[in-house]
Amino acid sequence: LGAPEGEILGTKGNLAGTYGILGREEEALGLNREVYYGFLKLSGKEHEQTLTAALNLADSLRIMQRFKEAKTLLRKTTPVARRVLGESNDLTLKLRNIYALALCNDGDATLNDLREALTTLEDAVRTARRLLGSTHPTTRMTEENLRHARAALSKNNY
């Protein structure tokens, strides 16, 4: 109906989030993929909307246990977020969290993958505590993910 493309993509992103809440993960994944590639074409890889869409797509991929694809996406987008938004940005920290979870949760994770996840989260926890404080939701999520990574390392007898 003539709405700007960015608004349409934003609405589709909201719908994808709703599908995810309802457990309709396959539909959420499809929409998140569409939104990410739409913003990539519309705004470029360095735009915050594109990076947010990448986060949502990567999380959908992680939830659907498509770890290889999630890691590939995050290896491309996280360095861009770190450069454009900075190490201390909440979105950058969330991208690093999802990357570490994808490393830990992959059934084919190697010792190096688990160590990289642990190192990533230890650094992210320090950054989050320093910049956001110990009670911030991102800090708490990162601390929980760090506990998960340590448990995965321990479980695999590394």
Side-chain angles (χ1 to χ4, degrees), residues 12 16 19 24-37 57 60-61 64 66:
K12 286 182 177 182
Y19 280 146
R24 295 169 62 177
E25 295 299 338
E26 197 67 49
E27 291 159 295
L29 176 60
L31 278 174
N32 279 323
R33 193 181 305 278
E34 186 179 330
V35 170
Y36 170 67
Y37 287 109
L57 174 55
S60 280
L61 290 166
M64 296 294 296
R66 296 182 186 179

Side-chain angles (χ1 to χ4, degrees), residues 87-144:
E87 293 289 332
S88 60
N89 182 275
D90 196 45
L91 179 56
T92 302
L93 290 168
K94 288 177 181 177
L95 286 164
R96 295 179 72 198
N97 268 280
I98 298 300
Y99 178 66
L101 287 175
L103 287 169
C104 283
N105 294 335
D106 189 342
D108 296 327
T110 65
L111 174 59
N112 286 340
D113 290 335
L114 295 175
R115 286 181 177 158
E116 182 180 359
L118 196 62
T119 302
T120 298
L121 289 167
E122 286 171 343
D123 181 60
V125 164
R126 282 190 298 275
T127 301
R129 284 180 184 154
R130 184 179 75 249
L131 297 166
L132 303 173
S134 60
T135 60
H136 192 278
T138 300
T139 304
R140 289 184 173 179
M141 174 188 65
T142 306
E143 290 170 340
E144 178 60 31

